Amino acid sequence: MQIPARGRDKAEILSDLQAFHDSDIAWKTGRIWSMMYSVDEEHKTLVEEAYRSFLTENYISPFTFASLQRMEQEVIAMSKNLLNGPESVCGTMTSGGTESIFLCVYTYREWARKNRPQVQHPELVMSSTTHPAFEKAAHILNIKIRRAKVDENQAAQPAEMAKLVNKNTILIVASAPSYPHGILDPVQEIAVLAQKHQLPLHVDACVGGFMLPWVEKLGYSMPAWDFRVPGVTSMSADAHKFGYGAKGASVLLFSKMDYLRHQFFVSTEWAGGVYASSTLMGSRSGGPIAAAWTAMQHLGQNRYLDLAREIMEGVDRLKMGLEGIPEVQIIGHPAMNILAYCTHRNKPDIFVVADLLIEKGWVLDRQHLPNSIHLTVMRHNLPVIGQYLSDLKEAIATAKANPNLVAQGEAAMYGILSRLPMRGMVEKNVRKIFEDLYTAKTGTAEGTEAAESPGTMPNTPAWMGMLNRILRWKERWF
Ligand SMILES: Cc1ncc(COP(=O)(O)O)c(C=O)c1O
């Protein structure tokens, strides 16, 4: 494919875009249980307008467009107040949770270089449920990850984390809440550990930062988890999730400038002049900043609270429905509108149940450790909760009546993937799928159907090839 020799007609292109949309997952039907954070059409239109009005402005530097710097700092101030930050809290807006987390790890590495000379090879202590963005950051920044076991409720265990702290530790991480099961880590106890060793503590509230405060205000009880806890030195919260801004907006807050200053980068040797940046990106659109600012200004505390109330009523309904199905077990004690469920002793097999639900048109994340199905409950899911529960009951009955389904369909593959002792083998095969996906192709991108959901892999020929390779490998060794 080449850039067309002559530009194409605008209407024709827009119609192509519409067709692309039409071939995607119809997420507004509420049949997808992750990834999409929405309010309603009116809010979407406003956010689009805000985004569009700053789409072309380049926020490569905070010095060119005073408007964007102002909006960034106002979003930081609103977030800091929401998360109960003291006056000294300062921060930047980034392109998303992954960039916030990358910068958090980078900043503490630089801070440790200056303040902890005993550190030879930096390490960070987190839990098995902490988001992989930390692992990615650590991989890029050459930092060792120490992963502590969680308890049977999937909550971080401070005592297990304590065993992993040593002279090379530069950072401890807690989640508020974790993505897989929506569990709030015991931030207060982890903060005691951090303070004992005079270590920074980051609370990853990427998914919870703009939701948990409202859930707490609604009266759902939870221990303190934000800057109220002495010892919390930074937090990440994504405006593009439950802040209801546009994609490309997260907030990274540090308790004081003594940390944040290590995030800034300055080059004085470049022919182009002095180059300085406060975050990872170079050129970036002002759109996400304007959209996040607009979402907060327009929704106001009253609407955020109403939205949270509406969603949590749905969550309560969903939980009650799940608890009424004898085979089903909700994992741990979810703190907000994210939860996961499994089946008791995996009977019937949860991945068979997932296959049957997918057949009925649901889009699901299958998880392992333990094998489970993830649900992030969003506003667009509310009208279909009853349908979901009745389809789930039917799927469970079918799975129980057909035990042979365990060895069929994707259940077989996900089952093997979750049990394979050699994770290196799994990594190698997933890497191969990416290679296939990104190998130069001629013509249109056939065989590259959309991924089902963020935690699962696409149903591509490569994916099926992987299943075959794993099955062959399994036969050889067992
Ligand atoms: C707890 C948590 N941290 C970090 C991230 C990464 O955020 P992003 O996908 O915006 O990079 C997510 C995403 O879901 C998350 O749930």
Side-chain angles (χ1 to χ4, degrees):
M1 187 169 183
Q2 292 186 37
I3 295 176
R6 292 184 67 80
R8 293 171 60 206
D9 176 61
K10 179 176 137 190
E12 198 185 292
I13 292 170
L14 291 176
S15 125
D16 274 2
L17 291 180
Q18 190 53 51
F20 295 160
H21 264 308
D22 295 345
S23 66
D24 277 340
I25 294 165
W27 63 269
K28 286 181 198 163
T29 59
R31 289 189 156 253
I32 178 167
W33 292 93
S34 61
M35 231 178 6
M36 308 302 297
Y37 305 85
S38 73
V39 177
D40 56 22
E41 277 306 309
E42 189 247 299
H43 183 76
K44 178 173 173 274
T45 308
L46 176 67
V47 165
E48 273 171 2
E49 221 169 284
Y51 195 109
R52 228 188 352 256
S53 71
F54 279 89
L55 175 81
T56 24
E57 275 71 11
N58 192 345
Y59 200 48
I60 188 169
S61 144
F63 303 112
T64 313
F65 295 102
S67 55
L68 286 169
Q69 210 263 337
R70 174 188 166 163
M71 283 190 277
E72 180 191 33
Q73 284 311 306
E74 290 188 3
V75 168
I76 295 296
M78 291 185 275
S79 310
K80 156 177 151 179
N81 280 317
L82 184 65
L83 300 171
N84 296 298
E87 214 32 60
S88 60
V89 166
C90 47
T92 50
M93 282 190 75
T94 71
S95 61
T98 299
E99 190 188 346
S100 286
I101 286 165
F102 177 85
L103 287 173
C104 153
V105 177
Y106 168 73
T107 300
Y108 287 125
R109 189 190 72 175
E110 297 303 292
W111 182 87
R113 278 184 176 165
K114 187 135 188 274
N115 294 282
R116 292 178 74 87
Q118 74 275 26
V119 172
Q120 284 171 351
H121 190 115
E123 299 184 0
L124 79 80
V125 173
M126 60 186 222
S127 297
S128 50
T129 50
T130 309
H131 197 277
F134 285 92
E135 193 182 335
K136 191 176 184 178
H139 178 71
I140 296 168
L141 294 164
N142 196 23
I143 289 168
K144 184 169 178 174
I145 290 278
R146 293 214 173 243
R147 224 187 243 107
K149 279 188 268 183
V150 289
D151 67 15
E152 69 284 2
N153 289 319
Q154 301 296 320
Q157 302 189 87
E160 290 295 320
M161 297 175 98
K163 290 183 200 163
L164 304 179
V165 172
N166 61 38
K167 71 174 178 30
N168 282 322
T169 310
I170 59 159
L171 169 65
I172 300 180
V173 180
S175 303
S178 64
Y179 179 80
H181 320 101
I183 307 297
L184 180 58
D185 283 341
V187 175
Q188 286 165 315
E189 287 88 334
I190 298 173
V192 169
L193 172 68
Q195 283 186 305
K196 180 174 157 203
H197 295 276
Q198 296 180 325
L199 283 167
L201 169 61
H202 181 82
V203 174
D204 177 14
C206 277
V207 74
F210 291 102
M211 185 69 186
L212 270 185
W214 314 114
V215 175
E216 205 176 343
K217 281 190 177 68
L218 288 171
Y220 291 82
S221 85
M222 60 187 82
W225 53 276
D226 58 13
F227 281 115
R228 282 167 293 183
V229 179
V232 171
T233 56
S234 54
M235 295 192 70
S236 45
D238 292 354
H240 67 198
K241 295 193 172 81
F242 292 106
Y244 301 117
K247 293 280 182 293
S250 170
V251 164
L252 175 60
L253 303 174
F254 286 96
S255 58
K256 52 185 181 182
M257 183 52 76
D258 185 39
Y259 292 122
L260 176 59
R261 70 163 59 95
H262 296 280
Q263 183 181 301
F264 303 146
F265 177 81
V266 183
S267 164
T268 55
E269 302 304 313
W270 184 42
V274 174
Y275 181 100
S277 51
S278 54
T279 60
L280 183 63
M281 310 267 279
S283 292
R284 60 168 163 155
S285 166
I289 295 173
W293 184 88
T294 300
M296 290 178 193
Q297 290 296 308
H298 181 63
L299 292 174
Q301 297 192 28
N302 57 329
R303 193 79 206 288
Y304 275 117
L305 194 63
D306 286 346
L307 286 164
R309 183 182 296 110
E310 205 185 336
I311 291 173
M312 289 309 290
E313 279 167 10
V315 171
D316 292 343
R317 232 175 342 119
L318 178 64
K319 275 184 175 168
M320 216 190 306
L322 291 172
E323 280 159 2
I325 305 175
E327 293 82 358
V328 165
Q329 183 185 351
I330 296 175
I331 295 175
H333 307 288
M336 48 178 241
N337 52 328
I338 297 182
L339 58 123
Y341 65 91
C342 56
T343 47
H344 295 287
R345 292 184 304 284
N346 202 32
K347 289 202 173 18
D349 188 280
I350 195 73
F351 292 151
V352 171
V353 175
D355 277 358
L356 293 166
L357 285 168
I358 288 165
E359 260 173 39
K360 287 177 186 291
W362 298 98
V363 181
L364 302 171
D365 282 8
R366 281 162 282 208
Q367 308 188 131
H368 67 163
L369 305 171
N371 292 357
S372 58
I373 293 177
H374 171 99
L375 298 170
T376 298
V377 184
M378 277 148 310
R379 193 162 184 264
H380 52 261
N381 299 120
L382 302 179
V384 295
I385 287 174
Q387 184 63 52
Y388 183 77
L389 288 168
S390 96
D391 284 356
L392 174 59
K393 280 182 208 156
E394 227 178 276
I396 286 176
T398 310
K400 280 171 81 174
N402 299 279
N404 55 326
L405 288 177
V406 175
Q408 293 173 24
E410 297 206 354
M413 176 164 46
Y414 279 95
I416 291 167
L417 283 180
S418 67
R419 285 193 303 273
L420 270 182
M422 292 168 78
R423 307 313 290 169
M425 174 73 182
V426 176
E427 180 185 334
K428 206 170 132 202
N429 279 283
V430 175
R431 284 181 173 279
K432 181 74 180 72
I433 292 175
F434 268 75
E435 283 173 33
D436 289 352
L437 203 60
Y438 284 97
T439 297
K441 292 178 186 70
T442 49
T444 52
E446 268 173 55
T448 53
E449 293 155 46
E452 291 162 6
S453 57
T456 59
M457 300 296 295
N459 188 16
T460 56
W463 186 227
M464 299 325 281
M466 170 176 168
L467 171 61
N468 283 328
R469 279 197 297 278
I470 289 179
L471 286 173
R472 279 204 306 276
W473 174 83
K474 196 169 163 264
E475 274 160 22
R476 234 181 301 143
W477 291 96
F478 293 102

